[in-house]
Amino acid sequence: MTSFFRPEGRSNRQTTADGPMPTHADGMERLAWPEIETIASIKLSSLLEIARARSPFYRDRLSRYSIHEPGILSSLPVLTKEDLVQHSPPESDALLTGPLEAAYLFRSGGTTGAPKFSPFAVSEFKQWVEIFKRTYGAAGLTPEDRVANLFVSGSLYASFVFINRMVEEMGLELITHTNPD
């Protein structure tokens, strides 16, 4: 859990006629929905091309689909928990689209069974931090805000690490507190 609060007397955020201006919006957040759908469709096709070209699992799974068809996502088979476990490290590398080199290793809490481990390449970790920055920036978080990171730290959980990095990169005041229980 993350808590945000603005100290008394600190309100110098930029505004537009529609209200506060997000700090990290690069334009995508301001597009009309049809434009977002078009961009998402193009990005999805590109992602499917990469997966089919580089991943043995997806090469097989996507071989009979035309990945450039509109609405293709609803036609694709669902990726199941069993697919992930059987075709991901440490069981297999078939889902990977490249060699697993320098990476962050995170794990789930195991609430639906045994904990699962997820490697994130350093570049993927940085992309996720950028996504967090854009999301929280679009929601109105600015450098004048303080953030209390109340996520659990340790046990290879990702939330605390991602939020801390995001807050640092956004230049926000960070308050951390973890409870070992």
Side-chain angles (χ1 to χ4, degrees):
M1 179 166 81
T2 306
S3 174
F4 306 104
F5 59 94
R6 183 164 291 114
E8 289 290 324
R10 293 175 72 183
S11 181
N12 61 355
R13 99 174 37 204
Q14 294 178 308
T15 59
T16 67
D18 297 325
M21 180 180 290
T23 304
H24 289 85
D26 67 355
M28 180 75 173
E29 291 84 354
R30 296 188 181 124
L31 295 177
W33 187 248
E35 294 172 292
I36 292 172
E37 285 181 317
T38 300
I39 292 169
S41 178
I42 291 167
K43 287 185 173 202
L44 176 61
S45 290
S46 176
L47 182 62
L48 292 172
E49 282 179 16
I50 291 168
R52 186 163 58 185
R54 298 181 186 171
S55 163
F57 174 83
Y58 282 114
R59 187 174 304 115
D60 180 55
R61 174 70 66 101
L62 301 174
S63 65
R64 63 181 195 270
Y65 295 93
S66 173
I67 58 177
H68 296 287
E69 282 182 28
I72 185 62
L73 191 58
S74 62
S75 303
L76 298 177
V78 173
L79 183 66
T80 67
K81 178 180 174 179
E82 290 75 27
D83 289 334
L84 287 171
V85 171
Q86 291 174 3
H87 302 285
S88 295
E91 302 299 322
S92 167
D93 289 344
L95 266 168
L96 300 181
T97 57
L100 183 58
E101 295 172 348
Y104 289 88
L105 183 66
F106 296 116
R107 81 170 203 143
S108 69
T111 55
T112 61
K116 308 300 180 285
F117 293 88
S118 300
F120 283 77
V122 172
S123 61
E124 291 172 322
F125 179 84
K126 288 178 181 178
Q127 287 175 326
W128 275 106
V129 170
E130 286 302 313
I131 290 167
F132 274 61
K133 286 168 45 179
R134 287 177 58 177
T135 301
Y136 284 99
L141 196 62
T142 68
E144 70 186 39
D145 296 317
R146 292 179 183 162
V147 176
N149 188 350
L150 305 177
F151 282 107
V152 174
S153 177
S155 299
L156 300 177
Y157 294 146
S159 301
F160 185 87
V161 177
F162 279 127
I163 292 295
N164 258 36
R165 179 66 62 88
M166 175 205 73
V167 168
E168 290 169 356
E169 290 189 13
M170 289 180 76
L172 306 169
E173 186 174 343
L174 175 63
I175 303 164
T176 58
H177 172 74
T178 60
N179 184 350
D181 297 327

